[in-house]
């Protein structure tokens, strides 16, 4: 199944200050998250951000500031965002069937949220280059487990170009200019 911009919501899970220093390849992960988040903003896709106990883990990383300003931020305490009533209520307001999920840590909050979203009837897409864990083996195992649970494993570029559907127009020119760098 291909992504559809009109049916999609972007979900950033726990990309928080105190988690970031320990994340393997953190610069690549945050760069791809920012790139895809900027595209979602240009396409007017709804963006949700979760923060796991921000008093202890800090708030969403500064490199995503522009995206934070365009998003709804929901604080949570459960590893799976779907277990928090506020998140479920906010998510249902958008009435989207495709959830593109990215964030930290792949094997904990991203995995639990993705699997429960999939089990709840959403079609979940995970751009593998937009998630991170402290250890590569945790990330790899989580991606494989999510794939087995029916989550579509893609890349940030796959998401962007599926949302775009065709070449041409200002948004495509802007994206392709940055893509070709």
């Amino acid at each position: 199944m291909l992504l559809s911009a009109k049916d999609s919501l972007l979900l950033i899970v726990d990309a928080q200050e105190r988690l970031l220093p320990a994340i393997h390849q953190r610069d690549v992960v945050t760069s791809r998250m920012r790139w895809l988040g900027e595209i979602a903003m240009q396409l007017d896709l709804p963006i949700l951000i979760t923060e796991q106990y921000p008093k202890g883990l800090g708030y969403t990383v500064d490199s995503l500031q522009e995206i934070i300003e365009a998003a709804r931020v929901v604080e949570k305490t459960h590893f799976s965002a779907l277990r928090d009533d506020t998140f479920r209520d906010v998510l249902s307001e958008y009435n989207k069937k495709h959830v593109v999920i990215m964030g930290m840590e792949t094997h904990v909050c991203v995995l639990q949220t993705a699997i429960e979203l999939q089990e709840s009837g959403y079609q979940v897409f995970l751009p593998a280059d937009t998630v991170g864990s402290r250890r590569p083996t945790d990330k790899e195992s989580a991606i494989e487990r999510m794939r087995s649970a029916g989550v579509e494993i893609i890349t940030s570029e796959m998401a962007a170009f599926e949302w775009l559907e065709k070449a041409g127009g200002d948004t495509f020119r802007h994206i392709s200019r940055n893509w070709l760098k």
Side-chain angles (χ1 to χ4, degrees), residues 101-122:
I101 187 171
M102 53 189 191
M104 301 171 200
E105 283 197 64
T106 314
H107 65 292
V108 185
C109 295
V110 174
L111 174 124
Q112 291 185 33
T113 301
I115 289 176
E116 289 200 339
L117 284 167
Q118 189 72 28
E119 290 172 346
S120 296
Y122 292 92

Side-chain angles (χ1 to χ4, degrees), residues 26-155:
R26 66 185 161 273
D27 294 337
V28 173
V29 172
T30 55
S31 172
R32 298 317 297 167
M33 287 172 48
R34 185 176 56 250
W35 184 79
L36 192 57
E38 289 170 354
I39 291 166
M41 287 171 33
Q42 290 173 13
L43 296 173
D44 293 321
L45 270 65
I47 302 171
L48 285 179
I49 295 176
T50 65
E51 292 177 337
Q52 177 78 27
Y53 183 63
K55 290 178 188 167
L57 294 175
Y59 297 93
T60 302
V61 295
D62 287 340
S63 62
L64 300 177
Q65 188 59 45
E66 184 180 334
I67 297 155
I68 296 166
E69 293 169 7
R72 287 192 55 189
V73 179
V74 178
E75 187 175 329
K76 67 183 184 65
T77 56
H78 291 89
F79 297 128
S80 170
L82 223 54
R83 301 258 173 135
D84 279 280
D85 294 337
T86 302
F87 177 82
R88 274 196 321 276
D89 293 345
V90 170
L91 179 65
S92 69
E93 289 175 22
Y94 292 106
N95 196 29
K96 301 292 182 181
K97 60 184 180 182
H98 296 170
V99 177
V100 177
I101 187 171
M102 53 189 191
M104 301 171 200
E105 283 197 64
T106 314
H107 65 292
V108 185
C109 295
V110 174
L111 174 124
Q112 291 185 33
T113 301
I115 289 176
E116 289 200 339
L117 284 167
Q118 189 72 28
E119 290 172 346
S120 296
Y122 292 92
Q123 181 60 56
V124 182
F125 296 81
L126 178 93
D129 54 338
T130 66
V131 292
S133 291
R134 287 167 284 147
R135 289 179 295 279
T137 54
D138 286 332
K139 177 179 173 175
E140 293 162 12
S141 296
I143 289 171
E144 184 53 41
R145 186 169 175 201
M146 285 183 271
R147 177 182 282 119
S148 295
V151 173
E152 296 278 343
I153 307 303
I154 60 174
T155 67

